[in-house]
Amino acid sequence: MSSKLPERQKLEQTLRALAKWRSQLIGSTLVAHSGTVVQDGPFKGMTYVAAPSEGGIAPKLLGVYEMALHDVLLAAPERSYDVVLNVGCAEGFYAVGCARLLPDTTVLAWDIDPVARGKCLELARLNGVEARIDLRERFEAQDVSRVHSELSEKLRPRPKGLLVMDCEGAEFDLLNPQEGDFRWLDLVVEVHPGRERTVRALAERFESTHVVEERQARTVVPDLPPWLEKLGHLDQLLAVWEWRAVPTPWLVMRSR
């Protein structure tokens, strides 16, 4: 930590480092007590990896991770999706979770990090869905048009798909309707706004083809295991903390 940083920034960095350390300790204790099976939420029953490629494990195991999206996922079986495209799959929470949730649906998963792809494959094997997940490296907007064409030939003329994306800011480059046909997809996108890249600007690209809704993260403390109930309130909050440094809203965009 640089001594040239302002005192407030040093304190904020120290606080975040300590919070992450405590969050990891709580996650490890949760695994020791309850194992690595997701306890609630849309992916309840999924066996998880003990060491995620990013973020804390406790919110995922407790079933409260990204709760603002739970209704979208729970409604997915009724949407009759032919394919799920997961861009920025990390260790496979959404790729494998969707493969379990939608047993008749193919999942295509992209991540540029080979370690993340390896963990995603490991998670798929743990849950017996490795044959239904097609792992790929680099996503391009043209991929959605190629997948649409392949499905139209193999399955039905008007396929339906769900795209889940978390690309740490690359969504502004990848979600380009001028380069790919996104009209057949419902989109769930975590947005990482920048100085000139706003949530509104990204939403406007799809308003003519999709019903667009912006959602914010919510912190929900569920019914906790007895050992965690006995800890202090700060530890209970850290158990559901998702390690977000700044607000990262979602755009939920349903095809018209």
Side-chain angles (χ1 to χ4, degrees):
M1 190 182 303
S2 172
S3 60
K4 295 181 180 179
L5 289 174
E7 193 66 26
R8 177 175 175 177
Q9 191 172 350
K10 287 191 218 176
L11 289 171
E12 288 174 348
Q13 290 186 354
T14 301
L15 175 61
R16 182 170 175 81
L18 288 171
K20 288 176 72 172
W21 169 81
R22 187 66 178 175
S23 170
Q24 288 174 319
L25 179 60
I26 292 168
S28 298
T29 307
L30 179 62
V31 169
H33 276 270
S34 308
T36 58
V37 174
V38 176
Q39 298 173 16
D40 207 347
F43 301 149
K44 182 178 180 180
M46 177 169 67
T47 300
Y48 211 59
V49 291
S53 61
E54 60 182 43
I57 192 173
K60 294 174 181 177
L61 294 183
L62 292 171
V64 296
Y65 182 67
E66 298 189 343
M67 280 200 70
L69 305 179
H70 281 198
D71 65 313
V72 177
L73 296 165
L74 289 170
E78 301 173 3
R79 300 285 287 176
S80 300
Y81 293 124
D82 299 298
V83 66
V84 173
L85 291 75
N86 183 200
V87 184
C89 65
E91 73 272 4
F93 183 74
Y94 284 110
V96 175
C98 286
R100 294 182 73 259
L101 184 67
L102 307 169
D104 298 321
T105 302
T106 298
V107 177
L108 310 179
W110 286 262
D111 203 295
I112 60 174
D113 181 0
V115 174
R117 294 198 304 274
K119 285 185 176 288
C120 185
L121 180 58
E122 176 190 352
L123 186 62
R125 287 172 175 161
L126 282 173
N127 289 274
V129 296
E130 67 271 23
R132 293 182 32 241
I133 296 181
D134 183 349
L135 276 167
R136 305 179 179 191
E137 181 176 353
R138 190 170 296 277
F139 176 84
E140 297 176 346
Q142 297 90 332
D143 287 329
V144 298
S145 300
R146 285 192 283 266
V147 173
H148 182 270
S149 296
E150 292 168 4
L151 293 175
S152 297
E153 293 175 3
K154 295 178 182 178
L155 296 179
R156 53 176 172 165
R158 299 183 64 183
K160 294 175 65 177
L162 170 66
L163 184 148
V164 181
M165 177 177 284
D166 180 1
C167 292
E168 306 301 325
E171 62 273 9
F172 289 93
D173 298 317
L174 298 175
L175 294 176
N176 186 345
Q178 304 302 316
E179 297 181 1
D181 183 3
F182 292 87
R183 293 173 297 176
W184 62 286
L185 293 165
D186 289 343
L187 310 173
V188 177
V189 183
E190 184 168 335
V191 185
H192 304 79
R195 186 171 298 175
E196 297 180 1
R197 295 182 162 192
T198 65
V199 178
R200 182 75 228 134
L202 188 60
E204 287 175 351
R205 298 181 188 180
F206 294 92
E207 287 182 336
S208 65
T209 57
H210 291 73
V211 177
V212 179
E213 178 186 359
E214 180 181 341
R215 298 189 178 189
Q216 300 293 334
R218 291 185 281 149
T219 300
V220 177
V221 179
D223 291 334
L224 298 171
W227 66 269
L228 193 46
E229 288 275 11
K230 294 177 182 178
L231 298 183
H233 191 207
L234 180 58
D235 280 333
Q236 294 177 23
L237 290 173
L238 288 173
V240 299
W241 179 45
E242 299 175 3
W243 293 20
R244 299 179 193 280
V246 294
T248 51
W250 289 273
L251 288 177
V252 176
M253 302 185 278
R254 296 179 174 87
S255 173
R256 295 183 185 273

